[in-house]
């Protein structure tokens, strides 16, 4: 930006703010919590903009920071949508949601839901929730065909994020998504229960 006046700088901030956080037609309808959330979001964006200008110079202005910020939010939301679809299809009890119901909620076709997540998302959900999906197969443990890095040398079918199982794996348990988990002798009964 060349020869930018303080007025131009302020106008750009106000324009971007109006686009990103539009105010209601009737300001009286806006509650305190909404105002506070808007202010916190704006402050975080402003700080990122100042930091970006310090690191990259004035060419990296508020518009670029706003776009980068929204792309980051979108990427995070997309990841969480994939994990929630995996949860609804693989972990939800007493029975999984249908592809149709998940698709309607997520704005996807049923086939889009089935392609939206895979073993990586299933394992991430298991890690975050401490739950294990129903199993469909068990074989001898082979570190070369196992899904996750941790499953190569310890049991990941049992335990939780807070208290992971540290036993040596002897089996590879495959869940409905195709993810392979390492399983020790102690946690093999959990696999058998999930089959009943």
């Amino acid at each position: 930006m060349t020869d930018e006046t303080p007025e131009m700088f302020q106008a750009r901030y106000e324009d971007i703010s109006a686009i990103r956080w539009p105010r209601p037609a009737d300001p009286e309808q806006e509650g305190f919590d909404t105002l506070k959330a808007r202010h916190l979001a704006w402050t975080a964006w402003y700080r990122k903009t100042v930091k970006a200008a310090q690191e990259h110079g004035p060419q990296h202005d508020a518009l670029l920071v706003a776009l980068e910020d929204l792309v980051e939010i979108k990427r995070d939301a997309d990841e969480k949508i994939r994990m929630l679809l995996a949860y609804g299809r693989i972990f939800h009890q007493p029975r999984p949601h249908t592809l149709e119901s998940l698709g309607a909620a997520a704005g996807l076709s049923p086939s889009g839901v089935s392609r939206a997540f895979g073993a990586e998302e299933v394992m991430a959900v298991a890690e975050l929730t401490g739950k294990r999906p129903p199993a469909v197969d068990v074989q001898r443990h082979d570190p070369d065909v196992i899904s996750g890095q941790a499953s190569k040398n310890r049991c990941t079918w049992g335990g939780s994020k807070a208290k992971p199982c540290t036993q040596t794996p002897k089996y590879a348990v495959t869940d409905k998504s195709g993810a392979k988990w390492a399983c020790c002798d102690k946690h093999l009964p959990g696999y058998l229960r999930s089959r009943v």
Side-chain angles (χ1 to χ4, degrees):
M1 305 282 157
T2 57
D3 301 325
E4 182 175 61
T5 66
E7 292 78 17
M8 292 166 64
F9 181 83
Q10 181 64 32
R12 184 168 52 255
Y13 266 85
E14 289 172 6
D15 291 345
I16 294 168
S17 183
I19 293 167
R20 187 148 177 211
W21 299 285
R23 295 185 182 272
D26 181 5
E28 297 293 320
Q29 298 295 322
E30 190 169 42
F32 177 74
D33 289 342
T34 307
L35 272 172
K36 185 176 177 182
R38 181 198 319 273
H39 178 71
L40 289 172
W42 186 89
T43 302
W45 165 63
Y46 180 80
R47 286 183 181 148
K48 283 183 184 179
T49 304
V50 170
K51 184 178 178 187
Q54 289 170 344
E55 291 175 359
H56 306 290
Q59 290 76 22
H60 203 82
D61 70 7
L63 175 62
L64 300 179
V65 174
L67 288 169
E68 290 168 350
D69 196 33
L70 288 172
V71 167
E72 186 179 318
I73 290 167
K74 183 177 182 291
R75 190 178 301 123
D76 183 59
D78 288 343
E79 180 184 355
K80 286 186 170 59
I81 287 168
R82 289 192 304 274
M83 288 195 291
L84 287 171
L85 290 171
Y87 178 83
R89 196 71 187 129
I90 305 295
F91 294 86
H92 194 269
Q93 295 296 328
R95 65 182 64 85
H97 276 278
T98 65
L99 293 173
E100 290 77 13
S101 68
L102 292 171
L108 296 169
S109 67
S111 62
V113 171
S114 64
R115 290 190 309 268
F117 68 91
E120 186 177 324
E121 286 79 17
V122 172
M123 295 183 93
V125 169
E127 177 76 14
L128 291 168
T129 64
K131 294 181 172 19
R132 296 297 179 261
V136 294
D137 185 44
V138 66
Q139 298 172 349
R140 293 252 174 243
H141 184 264
D142 179 354
D144 295 331
V145 298
I146 212 77
S147 299
Q149 189 60 38
S151 292
K152 294 190 182 297
N153 44 23
R154 71 169 178 83
C155 173
T156 53
W157 185 254
S160 66
K161 185 175 183 177
K163 289 189 164 196
C165 179
T166 58
Q167 297 292 313
T168 302
K170 293 190 179 176
Y171 311 99
V173 174
T174 305
D175 67 32
K176 293 191 314 186
S177 75
K180 291 187 182 300
W181 304 75
C183 184
C184 66
D185 279 329
K186 176 182 171 188
H187 289 109
L188 188 62
Y191 159 78
L192 298 172
R193 277 193 300 276
S194 74
R195 299 280 292 162
V196 183

